[in-house]
Amino acid sequence: MSRLVTPLLYRTLWATGDVLVRGELELRIKSNDGTWHVVRFRADSGAEITTMPAVEGRRLDLPMPQQAVRGVTHNQTGLEVRSGLIRAQVVGMDATEYVFPCFFLGDPSTPLAVYTSPTLPYTLLGLSGVVDKLLITPDGRPSPTAPYGNLIVEKI
């Protein structure tokens, strides 16, 4: 079984002093020409599907529908949705290639700099198409190298 353990990332919210913790992992994503690109994703157990800014998908030359899905917008950002797939490997694990459904958010010709903070689409690794392939566990037990614990990723 292939397994990855990586420290949970954290930051202190200046205004309140609260510590905010998140799990991130890097995926190698396959482009149209077969080139692999490393992209950092937030592991988000509350996200129903993997998301990525469409402009980033275009920059990496990922296979993506040309047209947005009519009548569908992403609730959190209000951006248009292109429903596609990404081919990925988890950096630090074996070379298994996974196919995950992915919503490419926004217009691929709009530069990222145009987006404001509330509408900035994150690269999130959601549950659909992932939970049957990878077990992703946030483990909050601290260690000398991971003061807020680790994100554990295991191949199912």
Side-chain angles (χ1 to χ4, degrees), residues 40-92:
R40 182 174 289 269
F41 283 80
R42 287 187 182 185
D44 187 347
S45 62
E48 294 174 310
I49 193 162
T50 298
T51 61
M52 171 184 276
V55 67
E56 181 70 359
R58 182 178 191 190
R59 185 184 72 78
L60 297 174
D61 189 31
L62 301 182
M64 176 179 21
Q66 296 218 349
Q67 300 298 318
V69 179
R70 284 189 189 172
V72 176
T73 57
H74 185 246
N75 283 342
Q76 291 77 8
T77 62
L79 297 172
E80 63 190 24
V81 171
R82 285 171 173 71
S83 181
L85 299 169
I86 57 172
R87 300 185 80 75
Q89 296 174 330
V90 180
V91 174

Side-chain angles (χ1 to χ4, degrees), residues 8 10 13 19 23-24 28 38 43 49 67 76 80 86 106-107 111 115 126 129-131 135-136 141-142 144 148:
L8 289 171
Y10 62 94
L13 188 59
V19 175
E24 293 185 356
R28 275 188 285 281
V38 175
I49 193 162
Q67 300 298 318
Q76 291 77 8
E80 63 190 24
I86 57 172
D107 181 344
Y115 294 105
V130 176
V131 299
L135 178 62
I136 302 173
R141 291 176 287 186
Y148 291 95

Side-chain angles (χ1 to χ4, degrees), residues 29-37 57 59-63 87:
I29 307 295
K30 196 179 233 181
S31 67
N32 283 315
D33 68 0
T35 304
W36 291 96
H37 303 276
R59 185 184 72 78
L60 297 174
D61 189 31
L62 301 182
R87 300 185 80 75

